[in-house]
Amino acid sequence: MDKKVSGILTGSVTPPPSKSQAHRLLICAALGASRSTVACDSLNDDLRATMDSLNALGASIVYADGAFDVTPVACRKGGTLPCGESGSTLRFLLPIASALGADATLTGKGKLPQRPMQPLCEALTAHGVEIIEHCSDAHLPLTCKGQLTGGDYSLAGDISSQYFTGLLFALPLLSSPSNINIIGELTSASYVGMTLDALRLSGVAVEQRQGGFYIPAPQKYNVPANLRVEGDWSAAAFWLVAGVIGRNPVTVCGMNTDSLQGDRHIVEHLRRMGADIRFVGDEIIAYPSQLHGAELDCVDTPDLVPILSVAAAAAQGTTLFTHVGRLRYKESDRLAAMQTLLQAFGVSSEIGEDTFAVTGGEAVATEPVNSFGDHRIAMSAAVLSTIARGETIIKGAECVAKSYPLFFEDFVSLGGKADNITN
């Protein structure tokens, strides 16, 4: 589906629930001892992948009326876990399936079969699990066989925090304790912090030590009967940028300003670029601002780089994003995708080994924008269209369903136009 988008945005919007927190609470609930409910006002493609995969492991999870009704896993061997395009689903549930001895097969689509998996697979095979990859040129589908065992695990911290989250969920289920050793710097550490918080909420003890974690085992997940997912700062970022680059303020409602989500740092990043963003009660108001270039370290906020690149396109001077090399291995190569997007608006950028530099300039919609099947690229293009001359056509705009199914409805509610194009 292609969309033609334009418009001047203003007003108030409430972002959807946090996809990152919802994955974690849903998994904890599925590993719990008794039935529970996880309130979550929106269901996206990634969360559906986690729900369906947990059901394949033997849980019974139903989504209705804005909540997941979760009956915990009664391990089912030989199931197929449909991970869709969700890296979180794959990397969280592979260790869990191995800890349960589920002999499961995990599948995926889009770029997921090509995303890095070798370090996690090597850690699992070193602890009693046989990993069978069924394609010579892709990691998926793969089958895990055997029973994961406790012990010492060592992984590099600079590839994916999702490896650590998957192990932190799985290792408490084993019969003996484990250590996780982090080699080098742990990137996207805030996501691991969210995992530790979900485990704490579930009564699972993890001892954080210098350079890693100690996980006592065996432990049981004791999840509260009722849980609620907080608002998604990754989604809020799009509207905050729309406010600071636009002509009128945009107000974001319903956010936890004390959240553990790393992407809450969108406010700090934008303020470093000169943005006027104010907290008024439980509302965040982004005012039109004269932005300037800055150097932004994105080691803990890689998902913000696409929409921050839009802010940089509207700024005076050059903005340099550092520690962004991992963006090559997301739903798309986000560095190349954003460079292509910006080129379509006449904005120049330069890709380095671990950097991305964007030089601000007048945005003009010169040609259709390819979403590359990446939700964050499509949403970034829509926000940039609000300050561009001409109408913007986004190809493959339906990919927003991965994280924010109602994005274009919210875009229109703020005054934008988003019309489907029939090919």
Side-chain angles (χ1 to χ4, degrees):
M1 176 187 69
D2 298 347
K3 278 190 178 289
K4 182 166 63 176
V5 296
S6 63
I8 298 171
L9 305 188
T10 189
S12 298
V13 63
T14 300
S18 166
K19 180 164 69 85
S20 297
Q21 189 187 48
H23 278 302
R24 288 160 172 79
L25 295 183
L26 193 55
I27 288 170
C28 288
L31 296 175
S34 58
R35 184 173 170 179
S36 59
T37 299
V38 181
C40 183
D41 295 334
S42 176
L43 177 63
N44 57 49
D45 288 350
D46 279 8
L47 292 179
R48 184 176 286 107
T50 291
M51 177 179 70
D52 292 345
S53 295
L54 288 168
N55 284 339
L57 283 175
S60 177
I61 305 174
V62 177
Y63 182 82
D65 300 324
F68 296 97
D69 182 18
V70 184
T71 300
V73 168
C75 184
R76 179 186 303 138
K77 282 184 174 286
T80 297
L81 281 57
C83 299
E85 296 186 53
S86 173
S88 295
T89 305
L90 171 62
R91 290 164 173 171
F92 295 175
L93 293 188
L94 176 58
I96 291 171
S98 301
L100 294 172
D103 295 346
T105 297
L106 295 90
T107 65
K109 58 186 181 180
K111 280 199 67 178
L112 187 61
Q114 282 74 44
R115 292 177 68 176
M117 284 294 292
Q118 185 175 354
L120 180 58
C121 290
E122 289 177 350
L124 298 177
T125 56
H127 291 82
V129 178
E130 181 185 5
I131 302 291
I132 303 169
E133 294 185 354
H134 299 283
C135 293
S136 59
D137 60 347
H139 297 296
L140 299 180
L142 65 76
T143 300
C144 58
K145 289 189 174 182
Q147 175 63 58
L148 189 66
T149 59
D152 290 331
Y153 291 75
S154 297
L155 294 101
D158 62 353
I159 300 178
S160 176
S161 67
Q162 293 172 344
Y163 298 160
F164 295 93
T165 285
L167 290 172
L168 286 167
F169 281 138
L171 297 180
L173 302 171
L174 304 181
S175 59
S176 58
S178 300
N179 289 291
I180 301 177
N181 303 306
I182 304 169
I183 302 171
E185 180 185 9
L186 177 61
T187 55
S188 296
S190 63
Y191 288 99
V192 175
M194 293 179 68
T195 303
L196 295 173
D197 188 61
L199 290 170
R200 177 196 56 77
L201 186 66
S202 305
V204 175
V206 173
E207 183 180 335
Q208 192 162 4
R209 297 176 173 178
Q210 185 172 1
F213 307 94
Y214 171 72
I215 302 96
Q219 297 188 62
K220 292 184 178 181
Y221 282 72
N222 294 301
V223 177
N226 296 287
L227 299 165
R228 173 168 289 279
V229 181
E230 66 185 28
D232 191 349
W233 276 98
S234 300
F238 294 95
W239 309 124
L240 294 175
V241 170
V244 299
I245 70 173
R247 300 182 190 176
N248 302 296
V250 173
T251 300
V252 177
C253 307
M255 302 304 298
N256 176 13
T257 56
D258 295 322
S259 172
L260 294 177
Q261 297 176 53
D263 286 351
R264 74 189 186 284
H265 292 300
I266 181 65
V267 174
E268 175 186 333
H269 286 323
L270 289 174
R271 282 176 171 169
R272 289 197 62 192
M273 298 177 71
D276 181 4
I277 299 176
R278 306 176 198 176
F279 293 84
V280 181
D282 62 352
E283 297 180 342
I284 310 167
I285 307 175
Y287 291 91
S289 306
Q290 181 60 62
L291 301 180
H292 55 75
E295 182 172 329
L296 302 178
D297 186 345
C298 296
V299 66
D300 200 37
T301 55
D303 285 344
L304 293 180
V305 172
I307 190 58
L308 282 171
S309 298
V310 171
Q316 293 183 348
T318 299
T319 298
L320 179 67
F321 302 98
T322 63
H323 296 109
V324 297
R326 289 170 298 138
L327 290 171
R328 294 182 174 89
Y329 308 107
K330 296 287 188 175
E331 287 85 342
S332 67
D333 177 341
R334 283 185 176 157
L335 298 180
M338 280 307 302
Q339 184 171 59
T340 301
L341 183 156
L342 294 171
Q343 285 174 344
F345 287 92
V347 177
S348 63
S349 62
E350 183 175 348
I351 299 172
E353 181 177 347
D354 201 25
T355 61
F356 186 52
V358 178
T359 300
E362 183 184 11
V364 180
T366 59
E367 59 187 79
V369 177
N370 190 340
S371 70
F372 296 92
D374 190 325
H375 53 133
R376 300 199 191 282
I377 303 302
M379 292 186 285
S380 296
V383 174
L384 186 51
S385 78
T386 65
I387 61 167
R389 286 195 289 113
E391 291 182 317
T392 299
I393 295 174
I394 304 173
K395 302 181 72 65
E398 71 277 2
C399 62
V400 300
K402 187 176 194 296
S403 64
Y404 198 161
L406 298 180
F407 174 82
F408 286 109
E409 284 83 347
D410 286 347
F411 184 84
V412 170
S413 76
L414 290 171
K417 296 180 181 179
D419 299 321
N420 292 340
I421 298 176
T422 303
N423 295 321

